[in-house]
PDB file of all heavy atoms in Angstrom:
ATOM      1  N   SER M   1       4.461 -19.469 -16.204  1.00 98.00           N
ATOM      2  CA  SER M   1       4.809 -19.523 -14.783  1.00 98.00           C
ATOM      3  C   SER M   1       4.583 -18.207 -14.052  1.00 98.00           C
ATOM      4  O   SER M   1       4.706 -18.145 -12.822  1.00 98.00           O
ATOM      5  CB  SER M   1       6.279 -19.925 -14.621  1.00 98.00           C
ATOM      6  OG  SER M   1       7.147 -18.871 -15.043  1.00 98.00           O
ATOM      7  N   ALA M   2       4.254 -17.138 -14.793  1.00 98.00           N
ATOM      8  CA  ALA M   2       4.139 -15.809 -14.186  1.00 98.00           C
ATOM      9  C   ALA M   2       2.925 -15.722 -13.276  1.00 98.00           C
ATOM     10  O   ALA M   2       1.836 -16.192 -13.619  1.00 98.00           O
ATOM     11  CB  ALA M   2       4.049 -14.744 -15.273  1.00 98.00           C
ATOM     12  N   ILE M   3       3.100 -15.109 -12.106  1.00 98.00           N
ATOM     13  CA  ILE M   3       1.989 -14.929 -11.181  1.00 98.00           C
ATOM     14  C   ILE M   3       1.548 -13.458 -11.162  1.00 98.00           C
ATOM     15  O   ILE M   3       2.326 -12.557 -11.488  1.00 98.00           O
ATOM     16  CB  ILE M   3       2.350 -15.390  -9.756  1.00 98.00           C
ATOM     17  CG1 ILE M   3       3.428 -14.481  -9.147  1.00 98.00           C
ATOM     18  CG2 ILE M   3       2.819 -16.842  -9.763  1.00 98.00           C
ATOM     19  CD1 ILE M   3       3.669 -14.754  -7.680  1.00 98.00           C
ATOM     20  N   LYS M   4       0.307 -13.246 -10.763  1.00 98.00           N
ATOM     21  CA  LYS M   4      -0.220 -11.891 -10.669  1.00 98.00           C
ATOM     22  C   LYS M   4       0.241 -11.233  -9.375  1.00 98.00           C
ATOM     23  O   LYS M   4       0.319 -11.883  -8.335  1.00 98.00           O
ATOM     24  CB  LYS M   4      -1.749 -11.906 -10.704  1.00 98.00           C
ATOM     25  CG  LYS M   4      -2.357 -12.302 -12.026  1.00 98.00           C
ATOM     26  CD  LYS M   4      -3.873 -12.215 -11.944  1.00 98.00           C
ATOM     27  CE  LYS M   4      -4.530 -12.600 -13.256  1.00 98.00           C
ATOM     28  NZ  LYS M   4      -6.018 -12.526 -13.169  1.00 98.00           N
ATOM     29  N   PRO M   5       0.504  -9.924  -9.435  1.00 98.00           N
ATOM     30  CA  PRO M   5       0.746  -9.177  -8.197  1.00 98.00           C
ATOM     31  C   PRO M   5      -0.522  -9.113  -7.354  1.00 98.00           C
ATOM     32  O   PRO M   5      -1.608  -9.507  -7.793  1.00 98.00           O
ATOM     33  CB  PRO M   5       1.160  -7.791  -8.688  1.00 98.00           C
ATOM     34  CG  PRO M   5       1.480  -7.958 -10.141  1.00 98.00           C
ATOM     35  CD  PRO M   5       0.641  -9.085 -10.623  1.00 98.00           C
ATOM     36  N   ASP M   6      -0.395  -8.576  -6.147  1.00 98.00           N
ATOM     37  CA  ASP M   6      -1.530  -8.525  -5.227  1.00 98.00           C
ATOM     38  C   ASP M   6      -2.475  -7.349  -5.474  1.00 98.00           C
ATOM     39  O   ASP M   6      -3.691  -7.491  -5.315  1.00 98.00           O
ATOM     40  CB  ASP M   6      -1.034  -8.440  -3.782  1.00 98.00           C
ATOM     41  CG  ASP M   6      -0.389  -9.731  -3.321  1.00 98.00           C
ATOM     42  OD1 ASP M   6      -0.792 -10.806  -3.796  1.00 98.00           O
ATOM     43  OD2 ASP M   6       0.533  -9.662  -2.490  1.00 98.00           O
ATOM     44  N   TYR M   7      -1.922  -6.177  -5.867  1.00 98.00           N
ATOM     45  CA  TYR M   7      -2.757  -4.975  -5.812  1.00 98.00           C
ATOM     46  C   TYR M   7      -2.247  -3.939  -6.810  1.00 98.00           C
ATOM     47  O   TYR M   7      -1.087  -3.503  -6.745  1.00 98.00           O
ATOM     48  CB  TYR M   7      -2.707  -4.399  -4.403  1.00 98.00           C
ATOM     49  CG  TYR M   7      -3.707  -3.310  -4.088  1.00 98.00           C
ATOM     50  CD1 TYR M   7      -4.928  -3.611  -3.501  1.00 98.00           C
ATOM     51  CD2 TYR M   7      -3.432  -1.978  -4.369  1.00 98.00           C
ATOM     52  CE1 TYR M   7      -5.850  -2.618  -3.195  1.00 98.00           C
ATOM     53  CE2 TYR M   7      -4.343  -0.971  -4.074  1.00 98.00           C
ATOM     54  CZ  TYR M   7      -5.543  -1.298  -3.492  1.00 98.00           C
ATOM     55  OH  TYR M   7      -6.458  -0.314  -3.186  1.00 98.00           O
ATOM     56  N   SER M   8      -3.114  -3.542  -7.744  1.00 98.00           N
ATOM     57  CA  SER M   8      -2.758  -2.527  -8.728  1.00 98.00           C
ATOM     58  C   SER M   8      -2.839  -1.129  -8.120  1.00 98.00           C
ATOM     59  O   SER M   8      -3.826  -0.781  -7.463  1.00 98.00           O
ATOM     60  CB  SER M   8      -3.706  -2.598  -9.927  1.00 98.00           C
ATOM     61  OG  SER M   8      -3.580  -1.444 -10.741  1.00 98.00           O
ATOM     62  N   LEU M   9      -1.827  -0.324  -8.375  1.00 98.00           N
ATOM     63  CA  LEU M   9      -1.811   1.071  -7.945  1.00 98.00           C
ATOM     64  C   LEU M   9      -2.218   2.012  -9.069  1.00 98.00           C
ATOM     65  O   LEU M   9      -2.374   3.214  -8.844  1.00 98.00           O
ATOM     66  CB  LEU M   9      -0.411   1.450  -7.451  1.00 98.00           C
ATOM     67  CG  LEU M   9       0.092   0.660  -6.238  1.00 98.00           C
ATOM     68  CD1 LEU M   9       1.575   0.903  -6.021  1.00 98.00           C
ATOM     69  CD2 LEU M   9      -0.700   1.023  -4.988  1.00 98.00           C
ATOM     70  N   GLY M  10      -2.398   1.484 -10.283  1.00 96.00           N
ATOM     71  CA  GLY M  10      -2.677   2.308 -11.449  1.00 96.00           C
ATOM     72  C   GLY M  10      -1.421   2.495 -12.281  1.00 96.00           C
ATOM     73  O   GLY M  10      -0.302   2.454 -11.775  1.00 96.00           O
ATOM     74  N   SER M  11      -1.603   2.701 -13.565  1.00 95.00           N
ATOM     75  CA  SER M  11      -0.468   2.788 -14.483  1.00 95.00           C
ATOM     76  C   SER M  11       0.255   4.130 -14.384  1.00 95.00           C
ATOM     77  O   SER M  11      -0.384   5.181 -14.366  1.00 95.00           O
ATOM     78  CB  SER M  11      -0.950   2.569 -15.918  1.00 95.00           C
ATOM     79  OG  SER M  11      -1.522   1.297 -16.055  1.00 95.00           O
ATOM     80  N   HIS M  12       1.562   4.056 -14.309  1.00 95.00           N
ATOM     81  CA  HIS M  12       2.460   5.208 -14.401  1.00 95.00           C
ATOM     82  C   HIS M  12       2.432   6.136 -13.190  1.00 95.00           C
ATOM     83  O   HIS M  12       2.893   7.279 -13.271  1.00 95.00           O
ATOM     84  CB  HIS M  12       2.169   6.019 -15.672  1.00 95.00           C
ATOM     85  CG  HIS M  12       2.065   5.190 -16.916  1.00 95.00           C
ATOM     86  ND1 HIS M  12       3.053   4.302 -17.299  1.00 95.00           N
ATOM     87  CD2 HIS M  12       1.079   5.086 -17.861  1.00 95.00           C
ATOM     88  CE1 HIS M  12       2.685   3.699 -18.432  1.00 95.00           C
ATOM     89  NE2 HIS M  12       1.498   4.147 -18.773  1.00 95.00           N
ATOM     90  N   VAL M  13       1.922   5.663 -12.054  1.00 96.00           N
ATOM     91  CA  VAL M  13       1.935   6.508 -10.858  1.00 96.00           C
ATOM     92  C   VAL M  13       3.343   6.650 -10.298  1.00 96.00           C
ATOM     93  O   VAL M  13       3.622   7.554  -9.512  1.00 96.00           O
ATOM     94  CB  VAL M  13       0.992   5.984  -9.766  1.00 96.00           C
ATOM     95  CG1 VAL M  13      -0.441   5.951 -10.256  1.00 96.00           C
ATOM     96  CG2 VAL M  13       1.426   4.606  -9.252  1.00 96.00           C
ATOM     97  N   ALA M  14       4.246   5.741 -10.682  1.00 97.00           N
ATOM     98  CA  ALA M  14       5.649   5.774 -10.242  1.00 97.00           C
ATOM     99  C   ALA M  14       5.783   5.692  -8.730  1.00 97.00           C
ATOM    100  O   ALA M  14       6.285   6.602  -8.066  1.00 97.00           O
ATOM    101  CB  ALA M  14       6.360   7.016 -10.774  1.00 97.00           C
ATOM    102  N   ALA M  15       5.318   4.575  -8.178  1.00 98.00           N
ATOM    103  CA  ALA M  15       5.435   4.360  -6.728  1.00 98.00           C
ATOM    104  C   ALA M  15       6.896   4.159  -6.355  1.00 98.00           C
ATOM    105  O   ALA M  15       7.574   3.302  -6.906  1.00 98.00           O
ATOM    106  CB  ALA M  15       4.612   3.136  -6.331  1.00 98.00           C
ATOM    107  N   LEU M  16       7.373   4.963  -5.387  1.00 98.00           N
ATOM    108  CA  LEU M  16       8.783   4.904  -4.968  1.00 98.00           C
ATOM    109  C   LEU M  16       8.953   4.691  -3.473  1.00 98.00           C
ATOM    110  O   LEU M  16      10.098   4.629  -3.003  1.00 98.00           O
ATOM    111  CB  LEU M  16       9.512   6.189  -5.374  1.00 98.00           C
ATOM    112  CG  LEU M  16       9.613   6.495  -6.864  1.00 98.00           C
ATOM    113  CD1 LEU M  16      10.447   7.762  -7.076  1.00 98.00           C
ATOM    114  CD2 LEU M  16      10.213   5.341  -7.644  1.00 98.00           C
ATOM    115  N   GLY M  17       7.882   4.597  -2.730  1.00 98.00           N
ATOM    116  CA  GLY M  17       8.009   4.424  -1.280  1.00 98.00           C
ATOM    117  C   GLY M  17       6.901   3.567  -0.734  1.00 98.00           C
ATOM    118  O   GLY M  17       5.773   3.589  -1.246  1.00 98.00           O
ATOM    119  N   VAL M  18       7.211   2.779   0.325  1.00 98.00           N
ATOM    120  CA  VAL M  18       6.185   1.973   0.977  1.00 98.00           C
ATOM    121  C   VAL M  18       6.586   1.726   2.427  1.00 98.00           C
ATOM    122  O   VAL M  18       7.768   1.561   2.729  1.00 98.00           O
ATOM    123  CB  VAL M  18       5.971   0.621   0.242  1.00 98.00           C
ATOM    124  CG1 VAL M  18       7.193  -0.286   0.357  1.00 98.00           C
ATOM    125  CG2 VAL M  18       4.723  -0.088   0.744  1.00 98.00           C
ATOM    126  N   ASP M  19       5.600   1.759   3.323  1.00 98.00           N
ATOM    127  CA  ASP M  19       5.830   1.378   4.714  1.00 98.00           C
ATOM    128  C   ASP M  19       4.496   1.002   5.349  1.00 98.00           C
ATOM    129  O   ASP M  19       3.445   1.540   4.993  1.00 98.00           O
ATOM    130  CB  ASP M  19       6.485   2.511   5.510  1.00 98.00           C
ATOM    131  CG  ASP M  19       7.196   1.990   6.763  1.00 98.00           C
ATOM    132  OD1 ASP M  19       7.235   0.753   6.976  1.00 98.00           O
ATOM    133  OD2 ASP M  19       7.717   2.818   7.532  1.00 98.00           O
ATOM    134  N   PHE M  20       4.586   0.080   6.319  1.00 98.00           N
ATOM    135  CA  PHE M  20       3.410  -0.368   7.041  1.00 98.00           C
ATOM    136  C   PHE M  20       3.060   0.615   8.154  1.00 98.00           C
ATOM    137  O   PHE M  20       3.934   1.143   8.839  1.00 98.00           O
ATOM    138  CB  PHE M  20       3.635  -1.757   7.623  1.00 98.00           C
ATOM    139  CG  PHE M  20       3.498  -2.850   6.602  1.00 98.00           C
ATOM    140  CD1 PHE M  20       4.582  -3.236   5.827  1.00 98.00           C
ATOM    141  CD2 PHE M  20       2.278  -3.467   6.378  1.00 98.00           C
ATOM    142  CE1 PHE M  20       4.456  -4.225   4.862  1.00 98.00           C
ATOM    143  CE2 PHE M  20       2.136  -4.455   5.416  1.00 98.00           C
ATOM    144  CZ  PHE M  20       3.231  -4.837   4.657  1.00 98.00           C
ATOM    145  N   SER M  21       1.779   0.833   8.330  1.00 98.00           N
ATOM    146  CA  SER M  21       1.302   1.735   9.360  1.00 98.00           C
ATOM    147  C   SER M  21       1.251   1.040  10.711  1.00 98.00           C
ATOM    148  O   SER M  21       1.465  -0.175  10.829  1.00 98.00           O
ATOM    149  CB  SER M  21      -0.074   2.279   8.990  1.00 98.00           C
ATOM    150  OG  SER M  21      -0.459   3.304   9.883  1.00 98.00           O
ATOM    151  N   THR M  22       0.950   1.834  11.738  1.00 97.00           N
ATOM    152  CA  THR M  22       0.765   1.328  13.095  1.00 97.00           C
ATOM    153  C   THR M  22      -0.470   1.984  13.692  1.00 97.00           C
ATOM    154  O   THR M  22      -1.009   2.964  13.153  1.00 97.00           O
ATOM    155  CB  THR M  22       1.975   1.634  13.995  1.00 97.00           C
ATOM    156  OG1 THR M  22       2.024   3.053  14.236  1.00 97.00           O
ATOM    157  CG2 THR M  22       3.286   1.183  13.352  1.00 97.00           C
ATOM    158  N   ALA M  23      -0.903   1.478  14.852  1.00 96.00           N
ATOM    159  CA  ALA M  23      -2.075   2.032  15.525  1.00 96.00           C
ATOM    160  C   ALA M  23      -1.873   3.494  15.903  1.00 96.00           C
ATOM    161  O   ALA M  23      -2.846   4.233  16.077  1.00 96.00           O
ATOM    162  CB  ALA M  23      -2.402   1.209  16.764  1.00 96.00           C
ATOM    163  N   ALA M  24      -0.606   3.924  16.032  1.00 96.00           N
ATOM    164  CA  ALA M  24      -0.324   5.310  16.400  1.00 96.00           C
ATOM    165  C   ALA M  24      -0.801   6.302  15.343  1.00 96.00           C
ATOM    166  O   ALA M  24      -0.941   7.497  15.633  1.00 96.00           O
ATOM    167  CB  ALA M  24       1.171   5.497  16.651  1.00 96.00           C
ATOM    168  N   MET M  25      -1.079   5.815  14.108  1.00 97.00           N
ATOM    169  CA  MET M  25      -1.555   6.709  13.054  1.00 97.00           C
ATOM    170  C   MET M  25      -3.068   6.878  13.079  1.00 97.00           C
ATOM    171  O   MET M  25      -3.626   7.540  12.201  1.00 97.00           O
ATOM    172  CB  MET M  25      -1.106   6.192  11.681  1.00 97.00           C
ATOM    173  CG  MET M  25       0.397   6.247  11.462  1.00 97.00           C
ATOM    174  SD  MET M  25       1.104   7.916  11.603  1.00 97.00           S
ATOM    175  CE  MET M  25       0.329   8.744  10.219  1.00 97.00           C
ATOM    176  N   GLY M  26      -3.739   6.310  14.072  1.00 95.00           N
ATOM    177  CA  GLY M  26      -5.181   6.480  14.202  1.00 95.00           C
ATOM    178  C   GLY M  26      -5.949   5.321  13.609  1.00 95.00           C
ATOM    179  O   GLY M  26      -5.452   4.580  12.757  1.00 95.00           O
ATOM    180  N   GLU M  27      -7.187   5.161  14.045  1.00 95.00           N
ATOM    181  CA  GLU M  27      -7.982   3.986  13.694  1.00 95.00           C
ATOM    182  C   GLU M  27      -8.133   3.807  12.185  1.00 95.00           C
ATOM    183  O   GLU M  27      -7.999   2.701  11.661  1.00 95.00           O
ATOM    184  CB  GLU M  27      -9.364   4.078  14.347  1.00 95.00           C
ATOM    185  CG  GLU M  27     -10.248   2.874  14.089  1.00 95.00           C
ATOM    186  CD  GLU M  27     -11.585   2.979  14.794  1.00 95.00           C
ATOM    187  OE1 GLU M  27     -11.793   3.951  15.561  1.00 95.00           O
ATOM    188  OE2 GLU M  27     -12.437   2.087  14.576  1.00 95.00           O
ATOM    189  N   LYS M  28      -8.405   4.883  11.457  1.00 96.00           N
ATOM    190  CA  LYS M  28      -8.648   4.781  10.019  1.00 96.00           C
ATOM    191  C   LYS M  28      -7.415   4.324   9.269  1.00 96.00           C
ATOM    192  O   LYS M  28      -7.520   3.657   8.220  1.00 96.00           O
ATOM    193  CB  LYS M  28      -9.123   6.127   9.470  1.00 96.00           C
ATOM    194  CG  LYS M  28      -9.467   6.100   7.998  1.00 96.00           C
ATOM    195  CD  LYS M  28     -10.001   7.434   7.518  1.00 96.00           C
ATOM    196  CE  LYS M  28     -10.354   7.395   6.028  1.00 96.00           C
ATOM    197  NZ  LYS M  28     -10.871   8.698   5.534  1.00 96.00           N
ATOM    198  N   PHE M  29      -6.235   4.668   9.788  1.00 97.00           N
ATOM    199  CA  PHE M  29      -4.992   4.365   9.084  1.00 97.00           C
ATOM    200  C   PHE M  29      -4.120   3.372   9.861  1.00 97.00           C
ATOM    201  O   PHE M  29      -2.908   3.318   9.666  1.00 97.00           O
ATOM    202  CB  PHE M  29      -4.213   5.660   8.830  1.00 97.00           C
ATOM    203  CG  PHE M  29      -4.972   6.659   8.007  1.00 97.00           C
ATOM    204  CD1 PHE M  29      -5.565   7.762   8.604  1.00 97.00           C
ATOM    205  CD2 PHE M  29      -5.126   6.490   6.639  1.00 97.00           C
ATOM    206  CE1 PHE M  29      -6.276   8.690   7.855  1.00 97.00           C
ATOM    207  CE2 PHE M  29      -5.842   7.399   5.879  1.00 97.00           C
ATOM    208  CZ  PHE M  29      -6.422   8.507   6.485  1.00 97.00           C
ATOM    209  N   ALA M  30      -4.720   2.584  10.715  1.00 96.00           N
ATOM    210  CA  ALA M  30      -3.955   1.700  11.591  1.00 96.00           C
ATOM    211  C   ALA M  30      -3.452   0.461  10.881  1.00 96.00           C
ATOM    212  O   ALA M  30      -2.366  -0.042  11.205  1.00 96.00           O
ATOM    213  CB  ALA M  30      -4.800   1.293  12.804  1.00 96.00           C
ATOM    214  N   GLU M  31      -4.214  -0.068   9.922  1.00 97.00           N
ATOM    215  CA  GLU M  31      -3.850  -1.328   9.284  1.00 97.00           C
ATOM    216  C   GLU M  31      -3.752  -1.137   7.775  1.00 97.00           C
ATOM    217  O   GLU M  31      -4.770  -0.952   7.092  1.00 97.00           O
ATOM    218  CB  GLU M  31      -4.877  -2.428   9.599  1.00 97.00           C
ATOM    219  CG  GLU M  31      -4.463  -3.797   9.070  1.00 97.00           C
ATOM    220  CD  GLU M  31      -5.454  -4.895   9.408  1.00 97.00           C
ATOM    221  OE1 GLU M  31      -6.509  -4.586  10.003  1.00 97.00           O
ATOM    222  OE2 GLU M  31      -5.182  -6.056   9.061  1.00 97.00           O
ATOM    223  N   GLY M  32      -2.535  -1.152   7.264  1.00 98.00           N
ATOM    224  CA  GLY M  32      -2.329  -0.964   5.843  1.00 98.00           C
ATOM    225  C   GLY M  32      -0.955  -0.404   5.565  1.00 98.00           C
ATOM    226  O   GLY M  32      -0.081  -0.409   6.435  1.00 98.00           O
ATOM    227  N   VAL M  33      -0.757   0.077   4.346  1.00 98.00           N
ATOM    228  CA  VAL M  33       0.528   0.652   3.975  1.00 98.00           C
ATOM    229  C   VAL M  33       0.329   2.035   3.367  1.00 98.00           C
ATOM    230  O   VAL M  33      -0.685   2.318   2.729  1.00 98.00           O
ATOM    231  CB  VAL M  33       1.298  -0.232   2.967  1.00 98.00           C
ATOM    232  CG1 VAL M  33       1.638  -1.584   3.562  1.00 98.00           C
ATOM    233  CG2 VAL M  33       0.553  -0.376   1.656  1.00 98.00           C
ATOM    234  N   PHE M  34       1.316   2.886   3.592  1.00 98.00           N
ATOM    235  CA  PHE M  34       1.421   4.154   2.895  1.00 98.00           C
ATOM    236  C   PHE M  34       2.329   3.950   1.684  1.00 98.00           C
ATOM    237  O   PHE M  34       3.331   3.231   1.756  1.00 98.00           O
ATOM    238  CB  PHE M  34       1.998   5.235   3.801  1.00 98.00           C
ATOM    239  CG  PHE M  34       1.096   5.610   4.946  1.00 98.00           C
ATOM    240  CD1 PHE M  34       1.297   5.089   6.216  1.00 98.00           C
ATOM    241  CD2 PHE M  34       0.035   6.475   4.748  1.00 98.00           C
ATOM    242  CE1 PHE M  34       0.476   5.423   7.273  1.00 98.00           C
ATOM    243  CE2 PHE M  34      -0.808   6.817   5.796  1.00 98.00           C
ATOM    244  CZ  PHE M  34      -0.583   6.294   7.058  1.00 98.00           C
ATOM    245  N   VAL M  35       1.975   4.590   0.570  1.00 98.00           N
ATOM    246  CA  VAL M  35       2.744   4.482  -0.668  1.00 98.00           C
ATOM    247  C   VAL M  35       3.027   5.879  -1.202  1.00 98.00           C
ATOM    248  O   VAL M  35       2.100   6.691  -1.367  1.00 98.00           O
ATOM    249  CB  VAL M  35       1.987   3.667  -1.734  1.00 98.00           C
ATOM    250  CG1 VAL M  35       2.765   3.637  -3.054  1.00 98.00           C
ATOM    251  CG2 VAL M  35       1.730   2.240  -1.246  1.00 98.00           C
TER     252      VAL M  35
END
C-alpha cells in the first residue's frame, strides 16, 4: 500500500525547513519552495 513521495532531496541532507515562494522573490524564484 506504500506510495512514493513526490521529490527526492538526496540522502541524509536533513531537511528541516520548507516554505512556498512568492513573486516578490523574483522571476527565477517565484514558483517553488525553499528548503
Side-chain angles (χ1 to χ4, degrees):
S1 71
I3 67 171
K4 291 183 180 179
D6 290 329
Y7 191 94
S8 167
L9 298 168
S11 299
H12 312 307
V13 299
L16 297 184
V18 67
D19 201 3
F20 282 87
S21 189
T22 69
M25 293 301 295
E27 182 178 355
K28 183 177 180 180
F29 300 103
E31 186 179 3
V33 297
F34 293 99
V35 176

